[in-house]
Amino acid sequence: MNVYHFEDLEKKAESILAPHPFTYVRSGSGDEETMQDNVADLRKWKIRPRFLQDVSKRDLSISLFGKTYKTPYFLAPIGNLGIVHPEAELAVSRAAKQVGIPIIASTVSSFSMEEIAAEAGDRWFQLYCSSDWQITLSFVKRAEQAGYEAIVLTVDMPALGYRAADLTNQYAPFRLGAASGNYFSDPVFQNKLACPPSQDFHSAIGEQVKHLFAPGFTWEDVATLRKATTLPILLKGILHPADAKKAMEYKVDGLIVSNHGGRQLDGCISSIAALPAIVDEVRGRIPVLFDSGIRKGADVVKAMALGADAVLLGRPYVYGLAIDGEEGVKTVLDNFIYDLDATVATAGMRAVSELNRDLVVRDIDRNYI
Ligand SMILES: Cc1cc2nc3c(=O)[nH]c(=O)nc-3n(C[C@H](O)[C@H](O)[C@H](O)COP(=O)(O)O)c2cc1C
């Protein structure tokens, strides 16, 4: 088994990808304060193991919305994967299926959600609400028909973050068609075009970009979406406990604590710093998932000890895809599963469901108080 630390993965991906696509994946918004804090703040928590408990049998499984999953890992929605590998989401889906990890397919994927579904095992659909409700509703219906089992509504992108590195590089993969899989295949979107994208790519991309963001989207739109589907809805990008409370008032089924891997609001709170207050607000009434900064098994144990029900992997699997397509993703996922199993055991725990706050302490001044 090839073992990769995150730094190795990143270096290897950098040596394979062209500079602009690599930077698009690696970078965060602004001067990357939040992106760095995601990782640094996870390291401020330390695991305080318990020993002399029989850990000969370990259980990494979790249950969400009445379904049991083999591990607490989900693959985070990542748009534009066609810039990383020609098989993009198809390779990711095949690898995830092999190891039994669900994918969350992005709205701005390179292949369509139906093409992805044909390769995928368990799957959720991530929704960026379009400024056009008819497109949004069409995406939701298509996701239902293609067997996606939950809608992950990403709320932290009312506009694109200030992506300094991409601005410097003048690099916008959206404009290259890397995010068009769902749009170009959508009947509602197609009706807006004078001719098909194959005949006038430029106008089709212009039309897509016009509809990509919905800065006017509000809680009332969440209520509309709630009525439009019976699938569970999770809000991704929640960082404030008051928003967690509101989400429950609006009958949302789950939350994903995330700051988009530090790609949206630079200077905002790290994801792990946001987690405990949200878990306290929610008090187990709906699942709370977590991402942004997960780099190894210990990070998963820390997030779950602080109350996360599951975690999303982001950049690590994208680097696996860059390095060796489906095999590369599978290697990264195998590593993460192995690492988590070993970390749970060496923390003296038998199951991820046993992880709790007593297992972690804040390493501020090493007084552990
Ligand atoms: C290249 C890239 C593209 C992304 N695209 C999306 C997307 O389409 N939808 C979404 O909700 N989040 C998107 N995200 C955010 C991820 O879902 C996830 O929150 C983030 O990668 C977690 O941070 P980490 O990769 O540093 O662990 C993207 C992240 C990256 C790195």
Side-chain angles (χ1 to χ4, degrees):
M1 169 181 206
N2 284 327
V3 172
Y4 292 124
H5 294 298
F6 181 76
E7 288 70 23
D8 304 332
L9 277 176
E10 194 160 77
K11 274 197 208 113
K12 195 140 175 60
E14 182 171 21
S15 72
I16 288 169
L17 292 174
H20 291 182
F22 170 73
T23 302
Y24 175 77
V25 175
R26 184 210 61 78
S27 63
S29 53
D31 66 3
E32 304 184 342
E33 173 188 338
T34 296
M35 187 179 95
Q36 287 163 19
D37 283 353
N38 283 336
V39 172
D41 286 0
L42 265 162
R43 286 173 186 237
K44 287 182 188 151
W45 287 96
K46 302 292 172 190
I47 302 167
R48 196 167 54 164
R50 301 295 305 275
F51 293 122
L52 300 171
Q53 311 188 83
D54 179 1
V55 297
S56 46
K57 281 204 189 88
R58 269 102 63 187
D59 180 7
L60 302 186
S61 72
I62 56 152
S63 293
L64 284 178
F65 309 120
K67 189 159 174 170
T68 301
Y69 298 96
K70 269 169 38 187
T71 79
Y73 291 118
F74 280 68
L75 297 194
I78 304 280
N80 294 292
L81 279 180
I83 64 169
V84 173
H85 192 278
E87 288 175 38
E89 300 87 7
L90 306 186
V92 171
S93 301
R94 289 183 203 123
K97 187 178 180 180
Q98 281 187 60
V99 296
I101 290 179
I103 60 152
I104 308 177
S106 167
T107 289
V108 286
S109 51
S110 301
F111 286 94
S112 73
M113 64 180 100
E114 291 82 6
E115 291 168 316
I116 296 169
E119 303 294 337
D122 289 325
R123 51 192 178 273
W124 293 359
F125 181 69
Q126 177 267 325
L127 182 67
Y128 280 134
C129 272
S130 166
S131 57
D132 183 312
W133 256 109
Q134 295 316 311
I135 294 177
T136 300
L137 293 176
S138 176
F139 283 177
V140 170
K141 288 298 151 214
R142 287 173 60 192
E144 286 173 349
Q145 277 159 18
Y148 291 83
E149 293 183 292
I151 301 289
V152 171
L153 175 66
T154 298
V155 297
D156 60 11
M157 183 133 3
L160 193 64
Y162 177 69
R163 308 263 173 94
D166 298 330
L167 288 169
T168 303
N169 290 339
Q170 300 204 345
Y171 185 66
F174 292 100
R175 299 207 171 266
L176 305 174
S180 299
N182 289 322
Y183 271 87
F184 284 9
S185 59
D186 190 81
V188 176
F189 177 75
Q190 286 165 354
N191 276 340
K192 295 181 184 298
L193 305 176
C195 58
S198 53
Q199 284 171 31
D200 185 355
F201 179 77
H202 189 74
S203 303
I205 284 292
E207 188 67 21
Q208 183 188 341
V209 170
K210 219 165 81 187
H211 295 295
L212 264 182
F213 302 114
F217 197 85
T218 67
W219 288 103
E220 292 319 307
D221 296 306
V222 173
T224 307
L225 185 67
R226 173 70 290 167
K227 288 192 200 109
T229 182
T230 53
L231 290 178
I233 297 175
L234 297 93
L235 299 190
K236 175 171 181 279
I238 295 293
L239 295 169
H240 199 298
D243 279 347
K245 185 165 182 240
K246 218 154 176 185
M248 289 185 289
E249 286 162 16
Y250 278 81
K251 309 260 182 290
V252 161
D253 303 281
L255 302 176
I256 304 179
V257 174
S258 166
N259 57 29
H260 218 108
R263 297 166 71 80
Q264 282 298 100
L265 173 62
D266 193 34
C268 87
I269 185 170
S270 71
S271 201
I272 198 70
L275 180 64
I278 290 177
V279 167
D280 288 346
E281 179 66 50
V282 168
R283 283 183 282 115
R285 283 171 286 178
I286 55 174
V288 176
L289 285 68
F290 174 86
D291 81 19
S292 299
I294 297 282
R295 301 291 177 259
K296 57 182 180 176
D299 298 332
V300 183
V301 165
K302 292 172 187 178
M304 295 189 80
L306 290 170
D309 294 292
V311 298
L312 280 53
L313 296 175
R315 289 179 177 92
Y317 86 79
V318 183
Y319 292 146
L321 177 68
I323 294 164
D324 197 13
E326 178 182 339
E327 266 313 300
V329 176
K330 184 168 179 301
T331 303
V332 169
L333 302 184
D334 283 341
N335 266 277
F336 266 95
I337 295 170
Y338 194 119
D339 185 358
L340 178 59
D341 182 56
T343 307
V344 167
T346 51
M349 295 285 134
R350 282 172 293 252
V352 289
S353 57
E354 281 184 353
L355 302 174
N356 63 72
R357 274 197 202 175
D358 184 58
L359 195 69
V360 288
V361 283
R362 281 269 288 168
D363 184 28
I364 305 266
D365 53 11
R366 299 193 187 262
N367 276 336
Y368 298 135
I369 47 170

